[in-house]
Amino acid sequence: MSTHPHHDAPGSGRRPSPSTLVPEDVPDAAVLARLHRRLERRAAAEDLLDVAVTTVDSPVGPLLLAATPRGLVRVAYAREDHDRVLQELADRLGARVLTAPEVLSPAAAQLREYFAGERTAFDLPLDRSLSHGFRRLVQERLPGIGYGRTTSYGELARALGRPGASRAVGTACATNPLPVVVPCHRVLRSDGGPGGYVGGLEAKAALLALEAA
Amino acid sequence: METKEPFETVVARHGPVVWRVCRAVLPGPADAEDAWSETFLAALRAWPQLPASANVQAWLVTIAHRKALDVVRARSRAALPVDPLPERPAPAAAEPEDAAALWAAVAALPDKQRRVLAYRHLGGLSYREVAGILGGTPEAARRAAADGLATLRRTLAGTWTERPAPRGTQEETRT
């Protein structure tokens, strides 16, 4: 008789099952990948997804991309912890979150072009429902800073008619749910210092160097 | 507000178990794939409404049982005379021989035994839950599972050695 603790608590979600029936290493990974693709397509076709997600590699590390039927809703750096971001998307936008690369292929393609230096502006439908109020106002203004240009938090606050709000502008940039695509990396401190960046200062410097090249 | 896991996590965690259950209940791989797809599509639809306290795996296995029945029904309704091309297990080419032998042996079991084994031993349902979806008593389900296992051991003797149950599994003694 085994004496291990029994973890059958309701809500624990899964019970261990005696898998003596399953031979070692049944290679079903390929089948499961195919089944997942089929599920993605049907879910998208039947409009069942709250959020489609995928991960793309980039010079600033793996980026998580997420879209609702309205558009790209989130770009997340690895340091934001992709698992945590997925949970946050489920909490805020709905739990029907599924990996569905095809849905995000236009966004992935434009990001690839941007990192290759072949694209200076993004042309994607954006879903800005993760931002509200003044932050959203600031974020909507960011694409107006041209490729290869920079501005300062104070400058941006003045442009928005809130000259005293440079700290709030900083917060708006720090909480931008769509980094890279919505270019908060182009906003610096007025003394030329880098300020902060959701992807880390190294990533901010890398993007600015890419655009300056 | 209660948090719900992203559905992707559910697919990653339970997809393989549901696949084995479908595979055991429906001998044709194409049928098993159809049942798996219908199961997860239905689960995706209903996911936001599932109470947080629910046992997700048991819920999925129960849906898989219903979808497997649907697939069987659809097949018999289609009432094709004889398939000109016998179905080849598409992915089976890559399967080790003992796995192929196991699935074949499972496919040869009587329906009831096959389902009880699939839901109990692959899907992790209790005999009470198995009886709940198949009818009959938990005791009868337990007997069907024992008979099925005995047949499998006889059929596979020599070609396949049973692994000890992995740590952390519990054999039910009494229900």
Side-chain angles (χ1 to χ4, degrees), chain A residues 99-177:
Chain A
T99 304
E102 282 174 23
V103 175
L104 289 141
S105 62
Q110 291 194 20
L111 278 161
R112 262 197 312 277
E113 292 160 2
Y114 169 80
F115 286 114
E118 295 158 5
R119 171 175 287 277
T120 58
F122 291 94
D123 179 19
L124 294 165
L126 302 181
D127 178 343
R128 295 187 179 267
S129 60
L130 292 176
S131 309
H132 302 285
F134 183 65
R135 290 181 186 185
R136 179 156 168 179
L137 216 58
V138 174
Q139 291 161 11
E140 284 173 344
R141 194 70 177 238
L142 294 172
I145 313 163
Y147 183 90
R149 313 277 304 269
T150 58
T151 187
S152 70
Y153 299 110
E155 198 66 52
L156 201 50
R158 278 192 292 282
L160 286 158
R162 298 268 304 272
S166 64
R167 186 174 288 275
V169 168
T171 305
C173 292
T175 57
N176 172 20

Side-chain angles (χ1 to χ4, degrees), chain B residues 44-169:
Chain B
L44 173 62
R45 228 182 265 284
W47 180 236
Q49 284 76 46
L50 186 75
S53 60
N55 176 321
V56 177
Q57 184 171 310
W59 176 65
L60 289 167
V61 170
T62 304
I63 298 175
H65 166 66
R66 284 201 308 272
K67 297 301 179 184
L69 291 180
D70 289 349
V71 168
V72 171
R73 247 182 252 124
R75 284 274 180 273
S76 60
R77 256 204 311 274
L80 292 167
V82 176
D83 247 343
L85 291 172
E87 205 178 58
R88 278 283 159 68
E95 278 184 349
E97 258 170 64
D98 61 351
L102 171 67
W103 290 120
V106 170
L109 292 174
D111 256 10
K112 165 95 182 200
Q113 289 178 15
R114 209 173 62 228
R115 290 204 172 108
V116 172
L117 280 183
Y119 304 148
R120 168 72 195 119
H121 283 272
L122 300 176
L125 264 53
S126 66
Y127 286 120
R128 182 181 305 281
E129 287 166 326
V130 173
I133 60 178
L134 288 178
T137 64
E139 208 32 64
R142 186 192 307 278
R143 276 196 306 274
D147 293 348
L149 271 180
T151 305
L152 285 182
R153 287 197 183 103
R154 270 198 313 276
T155 313
L156 298 164
T159 60
W160 171 67
T161 45
E162 214 166 312
R163 278 193 285 151
R167 275 177 51 81
T169 60

Side-chain angles (χ1 to χ4, degrees), chain A residues 1-2 4-28 30-32 34-36 38-39 42-43 46 48-50 53 83 86-88 90-92 94-100, chain B residues 1 3-8 11 13-16 19-20 33-34 36-38 40-41 44-45 47-48 53 55-58 91 94-96 98-99 102 120-122 124-126 129 149 152 160 162-166 168-171:
Chain A
M1 256 335 341
S2 56
H4 62 267
H6 117 42
H7 25 159
D8 215 0
S12 67
R14 75 185 301 199
R15 271 168 301 177
S17 70
S19 48
T20 44
L21 266 182
V22 186
E24 292 286 359
D25 307 323
V26 176
D28 39 19
V31 182
L32 286 164
R34 185 167 70 235
L35 286 168
H36 196 292
R38 183 171 163 185
L39 178 64
R42 296 215 26 207
E46 296 185 33
L48 292 178
L49 294 185
D50 295 319
V53 297
D83 285 342
L86 284 181
Q87 185 63 60
E88 171 195 303
D91 293 345
R92 296 187 60 182
R96 288 184 291 203
V97 178
L98 193 67
T99 304
Chain B
M1 169 178 164
T3 69
K4 226 8 184 326
E5 280 191 307
F7 192 73
E8 179 63 36
V11 180
R13 187 178 300 148
H14 302 291
W19 168 242
R20 288 189 203 112
E33 292 193 22
D34 287 349
W36 189 100
S37 296
E38 293 302 330
F40 276 95
L41 206 66
L44 173 62
R45 228 182 265 284
W47 180 236
S53 60
N55 176 321
V56 177
Q57 184 171 310
E95 278 184 349
D98 61 351
L102 171 67
R120 168 72 195 119
H121 283 272
L122 300 176
L125 264 53
S126 66
E129 287 166 326
L149 271 180
L152 285 182
W160 171 67
E162 214 166 312
R163 278 193 285 151
T169 60
Q170 28 182 38
E171 287 297 348

Side-chain angles (χ1 to χ4, degrees), chain A residues 46-62:
Chain A
E46 296 185 33
D47 236 347
L48 292 178
L49 294 185
D50 295 319
V51 188
V53 297
T54 193
T55 309
V56 296
D57 278 323
S58 84
V60 288

